[in-house]
Amino acid sequence: MATAMLAPDLRRFVVAKIHSVPMLEALLLLRSRADGWTMRELAERLYLPEPRVDALVAELCREDLATHADGVARYAPASGELARLVDELAGTYSRRVVAVTELIHSSVGRQARDFADAFVMRRDE
């Protein structure tokens, strides 16, 4: 599998913090501009409706990767380690887009399966 090419700490970061490819794209856009982005600007660049972008930015804020105030979202990793991992992810994504997107999709699928499994009644219970 292509994801094996990714460093273990980067794989753990992606699985734990990056919930979708649009979330990753939003993070990389925020990282690219120090003065931040309005929701409208992000929506235009990501080709997504503003409510979806609001949700993505909220996720990034919950994961301690961004801030949002006065209608402007900014890249703001809560630690140097998070910043280092995002930098590594940005470089890796530019070289191994398939591996990164496969990892994101596989972890999202696994989370959905785990959630669904929580509601399955087992015969032996």
Side-chain angles (χ1 to χ4, degrees):
M1 179 180 261
T3 60
M5 295 181 204
L6 305 179
D9 61 337
L10 185 59
R11 282 197 316 267
R12 283 189 298 274
F13 171 75
V14 170
V15 168
K17 300 280 189 182
I18 306 299
H19 311 144
S20 67
V21 173
M23 183 182 180
L24 172 58
E25 295 285 344
L27 174 63
L28 296 179
L29 279 174
L30 292 178
R31 181 179 169 270
S32 74
R33 194 160 79 185
D35 59 337
W37 296 75
T38 66
M39 296 300 103
R40 183 176 190 190
E41 290 171 325
L42 282 173
E44 289 172 358
R45 286 294 297 268
L46 294 169
Y47 303 101
L48 294 171
E50 280 188 54
R52 176 71 175 119
V53 171
D54 289 339
L56 290 172
V57 169
E59 286 181 86
L60 290 168
C61 291
R62 279 191 301 276
E63 296 297 347
D64 294 324
L65 295 167
T67 61
H68 182 227
D70 300 323
V72 176
R74 288 184 174 77
Y75 175 64
S79 69
E81 179 63 8
L82 283 175
R84 182 192 70 76
L85 287 164
V86 173
D87 289 346
E88 185 177 344
L89 178 57
T92 301
Y93 187 57
S94 70
R95 294 184 317 276
R96 293 190 163 87
V97 67
V98 171
V100 173
T101 56
E102 281 181 352
L103 179 59
I104 292 168
H105 291 300
S106 71
S107 66
V108 169
R110 186 174 54 251
Q111 291 166 1
R113 282 190 307 276
D114 291 347
F115 180 76
D117 285 348
F119 295 95
V120 173
M121 296 293 286
R122 303 267 192 276
R123 178 170 270 197
D124 57 341
E125 290 181 343

